[in-house]
Amino acid sequence: MGGLCSCLGGGDSGHIKLIEMPQVTLDTEHMGTDCVIVKSGRRVCGNGAVLASAPLMQDKSVWEMKLQANGLWGVGVATRKEALDALPLGASGKSWVLRSNGTVMHNSEEYHKVEDTFEEGDVISCTFNHVELQFYLNGKCLDVPLTNVRGTVYPVFYVDDGAILDVNFQDFTITPPSGFEQIMFEQSIF
């Protein structure tokens, strides 16, 4: 028994050390220069955009944001090559976003216009399955999909003009659609 435990890193004590899974947060290494991240990496304010700390690698991912203070904002996905100080996002080919004015944008092209208005306290959720990026308002599907997402992408959020967003990558306020789960870091077995 001691040999097996030694092989697994437990020594002769018979205990195996568990490694805590990293938590997805807002990534302070990939944000605009005037963007401010507080509340343990879960609130974005100031001026600029920020990526999440993990790429969307799994089959069905979900994340959400709560609009704490209105202003100009956006939520969606972007590559790490997106200019995070160039607002609003969705103007380049490196981001796909729902903007606070209700437009769903990519590469300066308006793909959809949401008729609903966004108010403080609203929860906007995003789902991504590598085929479609979809948006939800307080649990209701807005039916404004983007299907042209390419490359390794990360959840992205941007704020300007006093907007404050609280982001959530787990323990969701709104129950996610069936089959969609929190974003997980890619793990290797060995």
Side-chain angles (χ1 to χ4, degrees):
M1 178 75 167
L4 177 60
C5 289
S6 294
C7 176
L8 295 175
D12 290 325
S13 68
H15 297 278
I16 298 172
K17 183 178 178 180
L18 296 177
I19 299 172
E20 189 172 321
M21 296 292 289
Q23 298 294 313
V24 178
T25 61
L26 297 172
D27 188 350
T28 57
E29 297 294 317
H30 295 94
M31 65 184 221
T33 53
D34 293 326
C35 197
V36 179
I37 308 301
V38 293
K39 289 187 75 172
S40 301
R42 294 191 52 218
R43 175 171 282 178
V44 59
C45 49
N47 173 278
V50 60
L51 298 176
S53 58
L56 300 173
M57 303 302 285
Q58 70 209 56
D59 290 339
K60 292 184 171 185
S61 305
V62 63
W63 63 99
E64 67 182 18
M65 58 151 254
K66 184 173 186 179
L67 182 56
Q68 294 292 0
N70 229 328
L72 300 176
W73 54 265
V75 60
V77 297
T79 70
R80 280 202 170 159
K81 293 182 179 182
E82 178 61 275
L84 300 175
D85 285 318
L87 301 182
L89 295 187
S92 80
K94 300 173 188 89
S95 59
W96 298 257
V97 297
L98 168 64
R99 293 178 176 172
S100 53
N101 66 1
T103 57
V104 178
M105 302 290 296
H106 168 66
N107 209 20
S108 293
E109 185 176 337
E110 182 179 314
Y111 282 79
H112 302 282
K113 175 75 169 144
V114 174
E115 297 305 319
D116 300 75
T117 57
F118 303 105
E119 300 176 10
E120 291 179 5
D122 282 344
V123 174
I124 292 133
S125 306
C126 300
T127 59
F128 184 65
N129 65 6
H130 296 279
V131 173
E132 180 178 278
L133 173 65
Q134 185 62 263
F135 302 94
Y136 301 77
L137 175 60
N138 299 319
K140 175 187 145 206
C141 182
L142 294 173
D143 198 27
V144 291
L146 285 170
T147 57
N148 61 347
V149 178
R150 302 286 183 264
T152 301
V153 293
Y154 297 74
V156 68
F157 308 87
Y158 77 80
V159 292
D160 196 6
D161 198 30
I164 300 173
L165 309 177
D166 282 354
V167 303
N168 199 4
F169 300 106
Q170 63 184 18
D171 302 323
F172 300 106
T173 306
I174 304 291
T175 302
S178 179
F180 287 89
E181 297 180 345
Q182 71 185 38
I183 301 164
M184 294 184 281
F185 280 93
E186 192 173 39
Q187 298 286 317
S188 63
I189 296 175
F190 297 99

